[in-house]
Amino acid sequence: MTKSWNRIGRRRLAASLLVTAFVGLTGCQGGAPAESIQPVSRLPLPLQAYLSLDTYFIAQGMVKGRLSDGRLMHDQARDLVAATLYARQLAARNMMHPTVDGQKRVQLAIEMVLDCVQQANSGATAGCLTPPSVSGGGGSPAAGAFHPATAESAPR
């Protein structure tokens, strides 16, 4: 009884291995993959906008992790939040009305967020966003520029 059972078990095992190998080899025989993978720039604009939104959420998660660490200077935290809010605004606007120019702006804003995270991770203590220029052409003060009376009233 044991010998006949052993033979049946071996035959089933051999048959299942043979079928598995056959299925595996037929999968390998498929031709070269179709050109289904395209660069993002060749995808339709709404799909590009959707992918940019995904990228924004990944960058936002990195910012959240860096902020929750708690070892940031005040200027770094402020700049991380400002850059993230700016990127969110651009990503949302581009999602609603995708354009090529809007897509480029979203990419630059997300890169700015990632640069701020990288600078904060490097141990630098300075803020990552450069303050807006207060001088106009030729070194003269820009319109609306003023000198604060005290350091506390200076824009940050």
Side-chain angles (χ1 to χ4, degrees):
M1 181 83 171
T2 315
K3 289 183 181 182
S4 64
W5 177 254
N6 224 358
R7 286 184 190 165
I8 293 172
R10 285 183 186 170
R11 285 183 187 166
R12 284 187 180 169
L13 179 62
S16 65
L17 287 175
L18 185 63
V19 169
T20 304
F22 178 74
V23 169
L25 288 176
T26 56
C28 292
Q29 293 298 321
E35 291 190 36
S36 60
I37 300 175
Q38 299 176 5
V40 173
S41 61
R42 294 175 73 193
L43 295 173
L45 278 175
L47 186 55
Q48 288 182 35
Y50 178 79
L51 292 173
S52 292
L53 197 61
D54 279 351
T55 307
Y56 161 76
F57 283 124
I58 292 169
Q60 182 187 23
M62 294 172 71
V63 168
K64 183 178 178 182
R66 192 62 184 102
L67 288 172
S68 66
D69 185 14
R71 292 181 287 158
L72 290 174
M73 302 299 288
H74 174 71
D75 290 342
Q76 288 176 325
R78 181 200 65 223
D79 289 351
L80 276 170
V81 170
T84 304
L85 291 175
Y86 177 68
R88 180 190 324 171
Q89 178 186 14
L90 290 178
R93 186 180 308 148
N94 192 50
M95 186 71 184
M96 298 302 290
H97 306 287
T99 63
V100 173
D101 189 45
Q103 183 65 26
K104 288 178 185 176
R105 279 187 264 157
V106 171
Q107 288 174 354
L108 289 174
I110 292 171
E111 287 176 12
M112 181 173 56
V113 170
L114 295 176
D115 287 344
C116 283
V117 170
Q118 180 60 33
Q119 182 177 343
N121 286 343
S122 71
T125 57
C128 65
L129 298 179
T130 57
S133 175
V134 292
S135 56
S140 62
F146 65 93
H147 294 286
T150 63
E152 289 80 24
S153 64
R156 297 216 177 243

